[in-house]
């Protein structure tokens, strides 16, 4: 059985609607997507909507891994 060598790190989201949120990531992904549910008016069966926000890795600062809000995405 292979040994799981996944390294998890805590990253800080900087700017945008998730400013200051800390998330745990594995493998230092280039992009993190954050969603926020939206209300559908009038309620329409099983349809759901979500606002999508993109955070891009901005480097590994001495205080930890950071992702900055990308207002031009998606």
């Amino acid at each position: 059985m292979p040994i799981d060598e996944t390294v998890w790190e805590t990253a800080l989201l900087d700017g945008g609607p998730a400013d200051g949120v800390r998330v745990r990531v594995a493998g230092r992904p280039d992009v993190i997507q954050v969603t926020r549910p939206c209300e559908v008016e009038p309620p329409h069966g099983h349809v759901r909507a979500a606002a999508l926000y993109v955070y891009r890795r901005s480097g590994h600062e001495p205080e930890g891994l950071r992702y900055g809000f990308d207002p031009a995405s998606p």
Side-chain angles (χ1 to χ4, degrees):
M1 181 180 292
I3 298 172
D4 182 5
E5 295 184 22
T6 302
V7 176
W8 289 89
E9 295 179 83
T10 299
L12 176 66
L13 302 183
D14 188 22
D19 186 43
V21 171
R22 294 188 181 277
V23 296
R24 290 187 28 90
V25 297
R28 295 188 174 197
D30 293 329
V31 175
I32 294 177
Q33 294 181 356
V34 173
T35 61
R36 178 183 288 169
C38 299
E39 289 187 22
V40 177
E41 295 180 0
H44 195 287
H46 297 288
V47 173
R48 294 183 298 180
L52 173 68
Y53 304 96
V54 173
Y55 288 78
R56 296 189 184 280
R57 190 175 64 221
S58 57
H60 190 60
E61 305 296 326
E63 47 296 329
L65 188 59
R66 293 173 93 73
Y67 286 79
F69 176 61
D70 183 349
S73 291

